[in-house]
Amino acid sequence: MSLTEHIELEELQSRIHRARRLVVLTGAGMSAESGIPTFRDAMTGLWSRFDPAALASEEGFRADPARVWAWYVERREGVRQAEPNAGHRALADYARRHPGRLTVITQNVDDLHQRAGHTDTIRLHGDILADQWLDPCPRRGGPPCETEWARPGQPPHCNECGNLVRPAVVWFGENLPLAALNAAEAAAMGADLMLVVGTSGAVWPAAGLAARARRAGAWVAIVNPHPSEIDGDADQIVRGTAAGVLPVLLAAG
Ligand code: OAD
């Protein structure tokens, strides 16, 4: 690290110590050091090997439910086997030391922030470990449908109406959960300082939160080993990884 980079990191540390409302927006890079692949990294990203339209859209699921379900079963297994890394733990420790000061907003569908101890993370893109019906259940308010779980290679389905179970993630073309989006926007608007960790900034509306926070007066710092699409929305860029940089930034104070 150069002397300038060292000084900038120390300045960011003291900004964090002074911040009363710290918001951290995380993307797939946050969990990369836990062994969960990102989406857009050139060689290792999921979208360099798989077609997002086929595997992460309602149309793709309806066209081939077994294929999409199998892909999510494998990804769920990867998430269950992964452990929070030093970056997740540093955030959870900071929140414990400073109750009410930190808001974590994540685009990640894994549960590593939660398992590290930060249970009130705002989840913009859903939860890969949870299920939901593909179509609204016609029995809403009535007795629950019987679900058939045991057809090998197929997603679970309703014995009566055939409705399929899908993972509770936000697919391309779908809206974000409104309560989570509202909470994220409010946090961004009220932040003194926003750290943007491990996101390419390619997916909206999450990508717009940094610019919103900055317009509302926050200092915005990006933590990412590589350039992102929203580098221009930041006051400061730290070229490093989540597990390497967050424990340093959040250590004292
Ligand atoms: P991307 O895969 O688009 O970007 C990952 C970012 O993490 C890149 O900018 C990398 O440079 C950076 N990165 C890689 N390793 C890192 C590390 N160890 N520490 C810090 N940063 C690192 O992931 P997202 O921006 O999260 O949607 O993608 C946004 C959304 O697109 C995802 O939430 C997902 C996807 O389609 C859903 O799942 C709904």
Side-chain angles (χ1 to χ4, degrees):
M1 188 186 289
S2 72
L3 183 59
T4 318
E5 285 169 337
H6 187 74
I7 292 168
E8 283 178 2
L9 202 65
E10 283 193 342
E11 281 172 0
L12 184 54
Q13 273 175 327
S14 52
R15 282 183 191 279
I16 290 171
H17 293 160
R18 291 197 304 273
R20 287 290 156 262
R21 284 161 302 175
L22 172 63
V23 174
V24 179
L25 170 66
T26 67
M30 181 77 226
S31 298
E33 286 152 289
S34 294
I36 298 178
T38 64
F39 295 94
R40 293 176 186 77
D41 278 284
M43 305 300 287
T44 53
L46 292 174
W47 298 155
S48 70
R49 292 177 287 143
F50 300 103
D51 174 11
L55 293 167
S57 74
E58 188 183 320
E59 298 73 44
F61 184 69
R62 287 188 190 278
D64 193 344
R67 177 168 182 239
V68 175
W69 185 253
W71 192 65
Y72 279 93
V73 166
E74 201 179 305
R75 284 184 59 204
R76 283 176 169 184
E77 202 42 45
V79 166
R80 287 198 186 98
Q81 283 172 13
E83 294 293 337
N85 63 49
H88 296 105
R89 290 195 300 271
L91 286 168
D93 288 348
Y94 180 91
R96 266 191 293 271
R97 294 198 309 273
H98 304 288
R101 227 194 262 187
L102 172 67
T103 304
V104 177
I105 306 167
T106 192
Q107 297 166 84
N108 297 344
V109 294
D110 66 53
D111 60 347
L112 296 185
H113 283 303
Q114 289 78 2
R115 274 201 268 144
H118 197 270
T119 49
D120 48 3
T121 299
I122 298 171
R123 307 178 84 167
L124 291 177
H125 290 168
D127 175 357
I128 196 171
L129 299 176
D131 292 323
Q132 68 184 41
W133 290 117
L134 177 60
D135 294 308
C137 179
R139 296 265 198 104
R140 195 182 290 249
C145 284
E146 286 289 314
T147 312
E148 170 67 72
W149 289 94
R151 230 169 22 156
Q154 295 288 331
H157 69 282
C158 171
N159 276 338
E160 290 177 32
C161 67
N163 198 2
L164 296 177
V165 167
R166 54 163 280 186
V169 299
V170 177
W171 277 334
F172 287 104
E174 295 181 330
N175 291 328
L176 274 59
L178 194 59
L181 184 59
N182 286 342
E185 285 176 345
M189 304 287 282
D192 305 317
L193 196 152
M194 179 184 272
L195 295 178
V196 180
V197 183
T199 180
S200 60
V203 174
W204 290 72
L209 290 169
R212 276 199 161 207
R214 195 177 185 203
R215 274 200 306 273
W219 182 267
V220 174
I222 283 178
V223 177
N224 196 315
H226 306 294
S228 80
E229 294 188 19
I230 50 173
D231 283 3
D233 296 331
D235 296 288
Q236 181 173 359
I237 294 178
V238 181
R239 286 277 170 248
T241 71
V245 171
L246 288 178
V248 176
L249 284 179
L250 301 170

